[in-house]
Amino acid sequence: MNFSVNGRAYELALDPRTSLLDLLREHLRLTGTKKGCDQGACGACTVLVDGVRINSCLALAVQYQGREITTVEGLANEPELHPLQSAFIEQDGFQCGYCTPGQICSALAMVEEARRGVPSVLTPDLSVDHIDLTHDELRERMSGNLCRCGAHNGIIAAIEAALATRAAP
Ligand code: FES
Ligand code: FES
């Protein structure tokens, strides 16, 4: 099978039942993406596929051949961190860090969803072109990413800080 991950091409023989998460962690050794629940409940495994966030534990790798997969390892412009990664450090957006790669990938795609006009359950007017990412909208839109350390306030503060500096793409 052929995959493109973080701009790099990979070719490998793979059991067709392998999840995208296991492809990343066990076969490509990209262990930044975390396995929490392995059943779609926690968001720790969130990666980007063509810029859209998905739970990689629920995805069969075979379905994502020919797509551009981005993990947390692909976000930084080394030696510089991605601005949202820096904001997580500055705003105390983590404790143990286990959920953090998923939080960051999820937040990047979430901002794009809002820019495309994708509503959340809190969006008051479905006809508007521009959705204002208020504090409550951010919390709702990030509710699929759980943090067992309870760092949610810092996580939202980091996203808000990145948005305020227009650092989040
Ligand atoms: S590990 Fe995928 S949602 Fe929890
Ligand atoms: S920082 Fe520990 S689970 Fe989120």
Side-chain angles (χ1 to χ4, degrees):
M1 296 185 199
N2 295 282
F3 299 96
S4 177
V5 184
N6 300 329
R8 181 175 164 190
Y10 295 89
E11 182 176 353
L12 67 166
L14 202 62
D15 185 319
R17 296 166 295 183
T18 306
S19 72
L20 180 56
L21 177 59
D22 285 344
L23 165 69
L24 295 170
R25 289 183 55 83
E26 309 301 332
H27 296 271
L28 305 185
R29 299 294 175 196
L30 292 168
T31 54
T33 306
K34 302 304 185 207
K35 182 180 283 189
C37 63
D38 208 19
Q39 57 181 15
C42 74
C45 64
T46 304
V47 298
L48 306 176
V49 176
D50 297 333
V52 174
R53 55 182 172 173
I54 66 166
N55 288 338
S56 60
C57 70
L58 296 183
L60 287 173
V62 63
Q63 296 175 280
Y64 293 91
Q65 296 182 91
R67 312 280 294 276
E68 184 52 45
I69 301 159
T70 305
T71 69
V72 71
E73 289 94 340
L75 298 181
N77 185 17
E78 293 185 12
E80 301 294 323
L81 289 175
H82 186 285
L84 186 56
Q85 291 175 305
S86 299
F88 266 68
I89 295 171
E90 290 157 9
Q91 301 295 326
D92 245 351
F94 57 88
Q95 287 185 38
C96 76
Y98 198 82
C99 72
T100 312
Q103 300 279 2
I104 290 174
C105 287
S106 186
L108 292 173
M110 177 273 298
V111 172
E112 286 305 316
E113 287 165 17
R115 286 189 181 146
R116 291 199 310 274
V118 178
S120 81
V121 70
L122 292 183
T123 307
D125 182 355
L126 301 186
S127 65
V128 296
D129 291 334
H130 174 77
I131 295 174
D132 199 14
L133 283 176
T134 63
H135 188 77
D136 287 347
E137 275 275 9
L138 287 178
R139 292 189 75 92
E140 168 59 27
R141 287 169 184 270
M142 291 299 295
S143 61
N145 288 81
L146 307 181
C147 174
R148 77 192 71 192
C149 297
H152 292 285
N153 287 339
I155 290 165
I156 297 301
I159 299 169
E160 288 176 329
L163 282 171
T165 61
R166 303 196 64 76

